Every structure is written in C-alpha cells, then in structure tokens.
Amino acid sequence: MSFNYNEDFERIDFREQPDKYRVGRGEQGVLMVEPYKSEILPYWRFKTPDIARESSGQIYELFLEYKKQKDFVGMDMARKFLQMGYTRSRRYANYKGGKKYDKDGNVNDRQINEEKAESARIFEEKWIKAREDETYLSWKKDHQQKYG
C-alpha cells in the first residue's frame, strides 16, 4: 500500500498509533511522521564525509534503539533518513548545488564531487545494513500485512 498522505500529521503521534503508519515506497513521509521526524532530523547531515559518518552512525544507533524498543515505525523512519542521506548526497555529488534541473526543466550536466560521493557511500552502507536487518524485514512484513 502507498504512503497515506491524507492522515492528520499535525495531530497523530505515530508511536501511540502505529496502526496509522504506512511504509510506502522509499523515503515517502520521512519529514511528516512524528515524533520520529523530530527525533531523527537533528542528526541528519551530509556536508562532508566526517559529518556523514557521524550522522549516519547516530541515525543507525537510533535504528537499533527503536529495534530494542520493538518500535517498527521508528526503525522504518530511521531507515528512511539513512536512505535520504544517501539520495541527497548523491544529488549533490552529481550536480553542483544539488540542482539536477535548470530553470527551463532541462537536466544539468553532471559534475562529480568526490567528497559528496564519499558522503553518499557512507550513508549507503548504513542504509543497506538497516534495510537488510532480519528483524526489520520481519516486522515490516507483519506491519504491512496487518495495516496495509
């Protein structure tokens, strides 16, 4: 099932109401689902490889903490932030200023920034670890079967 963008994100605490959460695809809802957004977003940074290493490590630790708490929604949100760290770093690695399109909607030429590419590799490593975690995969399947 797709991510449900029609939920009342201003009022729902998804920790208290995990039944309202839908996994969706990729990073859908990453900046909408509370209280997780507020818990994870302060750690999300990727400007340099050192910053990306610290950030992805902190977010992965949150992933493991949510796992300890048996909080699937928290695990999925941490996974989404790791994925977003990878995708945004790649965007900045490929396009100066992170701008893929020019003002006319044409794709800009790629200009590989190796520092940003390294940040992307760092986030990708943690993202893969999270998305392939056996407990995560099991709980994801259960959540989707139960709630869609």
Side-chain angles (χ1 to χ4, degrees), residues 85-95 112 116-117 120-121:
Y86 166 72
T87 59
R88 295 311 180 279
S89 294
R90 277 299 338 155
R91 172 71 61 93
Y92 280 85
N94 293 338
Y95 303 101
I112 303 301
K116 298 290 189 257
R121 282 189 287 275

Side-chain angles (χ1 to χ4, degrees), residues 79-121:
R79 189 261 320 151
K80 287 181 183 202
F81 271 94
L82 292 168
Q83 182 175 356
M84 188 168 68
Y86 166 72
T87 59
R88 295 311 180 279
S89 294
R90 277 299 338 155
R91 172 71 61 93
Y92 280 85
N94 293 338
Y95 303 101
K96 187 174 173 79
K99 300 200 184 299
K100 183 173 181 176
Y101 301 99
D102 67 17
K103 61 180 167 67
D104 298 321
N106 300 309
V107 176
N108 286 319
D109 291 334
R110 284 187 175 198
Q111 299 174 348
I112 303 301
N113 177 318
E114 288 302 325
E115 184 179 51
K116 298 290 189 257
E118 178 62 19
S119 292
R121 282 189 287 275

Side-chain angles (χ1 to χ4, degrees), residues 38-52:
S38 294
E39 293 171 358
I40 303 168
L41 185 60
Y43 300 108
W44 186 72
R45 302 283 180 269
F46 57 88
K47 188 173 185 173
T48 67
D50 287 340
I51 291 169

